[in-house]
């Protein structure tokens, strides 16, 4: 039961992960700073998923990357490309619309319950 | 310090050794800086372990970077794979069985005990079926595993057996099959088996068809009934007919049910093969001379009577079975 619930929860979150990451990359971030800002917003992300995801986004040309070697520790920074910004705003719209629809759908269910009680 | 560094380096190595050469250095560099970011300023071995635990199994991390499937055949190809497997395994099994049985007939000298021969035939048959099954399974799986890896179209929708995305149009190709017009696998197996048997009998008639004699002992082949030279003259056209029969059987296996077109094809095949066999049968020296003499002595009938009786009878049987098969085909094709 709890196993099933967990896997369903993971499934629910999976699609939102890309959106969450894209939202944070409007300003340049390196791997760990991205983890921290996501966690700061209450979104915990499996790190073994996040780093490959960043590479994939780069391959899809949604983000661009650059090495900053000016400090003692070299860091790879990622930031949204112009194309990535476009995609991000589309996805954002989509997500907001979906949430609204789902919210009203879930609200209906609550009404039914109330009627029966 | 070395211990801690070592753990990190080993972890990075465990990730990068699973990656393509050109990705390694960049990912190693990024991983190292990320791990150091995650560690507190003054860290212990436990801290390092903690961080590496957060990053998780290096194999999974590496696989994420590779962006390649961790399965042989994914949902995209699984359906096509299964239906091909189900189609090819029985065909391969039948063809190999026919080969074995043909070989057995050719090699059968009549000297060994029949029971022993049958037992060894069954044994060899089962062994060959297992081998063929493994071979088909292996090569088909390899093919699809490669397809899975080299397919650049990352769309995850399952494919139909035409390797295209499914549309409602595909339903036109899948006719609703009523039970009465379906062609069973057994029927196809039977017809392939029959082809194998008659082809063997035809080409080895001088060793199989004839007079056997045995005085209480094992049967001995005394004389052939047919003139192999005559049969050999028509060898090519008979082989073509056999090929057509096999092709037709495989076509039936694919279509799974009788159709008008199939009934017409069946008619053509029956008519052609009947005509060819009648032509062969009415050749004057179709029966071997010694056989005719032997029979006329045995039953005290004239040569002409025997000819008419045997050849005529065979022709009538041929025509009747062909007509029955043609009728049956159209009857089944017309069932709604």
């Amino acid at each position: 039961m709890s196993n099933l619930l967990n896997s369903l929860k993971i499934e629910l979150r999976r699609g939102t992960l890309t959106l969450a990451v894209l939202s944070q990359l409007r300003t340049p971030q390196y791997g760990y700073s991205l983890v921290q800002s996501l966690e700061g917003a209450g979104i915990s992300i499996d790190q073994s998923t996040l780093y490959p995801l960043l590479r994939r986004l780069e391959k899809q040309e949604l983000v661009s990357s650059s090495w900053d070697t000016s400090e003692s520790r070299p860091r790879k920074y990622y930031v949204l490309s112009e194309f990535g910004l476009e995609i991000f705003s589309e996805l954002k719209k989509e997500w907001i619309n979906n949430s609204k629809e789902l919210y009203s759908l879930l609200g209906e269910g609550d009404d039914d319950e109330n009627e029966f009680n | 310090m070395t211990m801690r560094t070592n753990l990190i380096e080993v972890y990075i190595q465990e990730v990068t050794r699973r990656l393509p050469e050109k990705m390694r250095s960049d990912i190693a560099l990024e991983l190292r800086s990320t791990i150091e970011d995650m560690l507190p300023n003054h860290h212990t071995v436990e801290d390092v372990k903690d961080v590496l635990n957060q990053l998780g199994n290096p194999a999974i991390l590496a696989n994420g970077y590779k962006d390649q499937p961790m399965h042989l055949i994914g949902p995209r190809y699984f359906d096509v794979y299964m239906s091909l497997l189900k189609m090819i395994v029985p065909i391969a099994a039948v063809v190999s069985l026919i080969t074995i049985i043909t070989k057995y007939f050719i090699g059968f000298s009549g000297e060994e005990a029949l029971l022993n021969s049958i037992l060894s035939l069954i044994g060899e048959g089962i062994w060959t079926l297992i081998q063929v099954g493994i071979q088909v399974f292996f090569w088909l799986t390899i093919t699809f595993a490669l397809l899975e890896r080299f397919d650049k179209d990352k769309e995850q929708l399952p494919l139909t057996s035409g390797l295209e995305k499914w549309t409602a149009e595909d339903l036109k190709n899948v006719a609703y099959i009523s039970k009465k017009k379906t062609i069973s696998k057994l029927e196809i197996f039977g017809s392939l088996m029959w082809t194998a048997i008659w082809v063997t009998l035809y080409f080895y008639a001088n060793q199989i068809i004839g007079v056997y004699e045995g005085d209480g002992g094992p049967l001995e082949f005394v004389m052939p009934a047919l003139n192999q030279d005559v049969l050999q003259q028509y060898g090519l056209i008979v082989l073509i007919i056999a090929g057509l029969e096999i092709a037709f059987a495989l076509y039936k296996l694919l279509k799974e049910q009788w159709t008008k077109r199939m009934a017409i094809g069946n008619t053509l095949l029956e008519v052609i093969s009947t005509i060819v066999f009648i032509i062969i049968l009415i050749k004057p020296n179709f029966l071997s001379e010694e056989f005719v003499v032997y029979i006329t002595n045995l039953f005290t009938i004239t040569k002409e009577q025997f000819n008419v009786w045997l050849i005529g009878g065979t022709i009538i049987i041929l025509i009747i079975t062909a007509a029955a098969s043609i009728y049956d085909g159209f009857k089944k094709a017309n069932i709604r």
Side-chain angles (χ1 to χ4, degrees), chain A residues 51 55 73 75-76 78, chain B residues 26 30 34 37-38 54:
Chain A
Y51 300 123
R55 296 264 159 175
R73 186 179 297 152
R75 279 177 178 144
K76 196 175 188 184
Y78 295 89
Chain B
D26 197 60
E30 188 183 10
T34 303
D37 276 336
M38 290 164 81
Q54 278 186 55

Side-chain angles (χ1 to χ4, degrees), chain B residues 307-321:
Chain B
N307 256 328
V308 169
W309 176 76
L310 186 65
I311 306 291
T314 312
I315 290 175
I316 289 170
I317 291 171
L318 272 181
I319 292 176
I320 289 173
T321 50

Side-chain angles (χ1 to χ4, degrees), chain B residues 6-71:
Chain B
N6 204 19
L7 268 184
I8 295 171
E9 288 310 313
V10 171
Y11 184 88
I12 290 172
Q13 182 197 304
E14 278 296 284
V15 176
T16 52
R17 76 179 173 86
R18 294 180 161 89
L19 297 174
E21 202 87 45
K22 58 179 188 283
M23 298 171 79
R24 282 183 192 169
S25 59
D26 197 60
I27 284 175
L29 210 57
E30 188 183 10
L31 259 183
R32 197 171 296 119
S33 104
T34 303
I35 291 169
E36 281 166 14
D37 276 336
M38 290 164 81
L39 287 168
N41 282 338
H42 302 284
H43 53 264
T44 62
V45 177
E46 288 310 308
D47 289 329
V48 173
K49 282 185 184 166
D50 202 40
V51 163
L52 296 184
N53 277 333
Q54 278 186 55
L55 286 173
N57 188 338
I60 294 176
L61 185 57
N63 190 66
Y65 280 123
K66 266 192 301 191
D67 202 17
Q68 266 192 3
M70 276 181 97
H71 47 245

Side-chain angles (χ1 to χ4, degrees), chain A residues 60-84:
Chain A
Q60 292 165 339
E61 294 174 357
L62 296 173
V63 305
S64 55
S65 70
S66 56
W67 278 98
D68 177 15
T69 48
S70 59
E71 287 181 47
S72 63
R73 186 179 297 152
R75 279 177 178 144
K76 196 175 188 184
Y77 279 86
Y78 295 89
V79 69
L80 278 189
S81 65
E82 222 166 283
F83 176 56

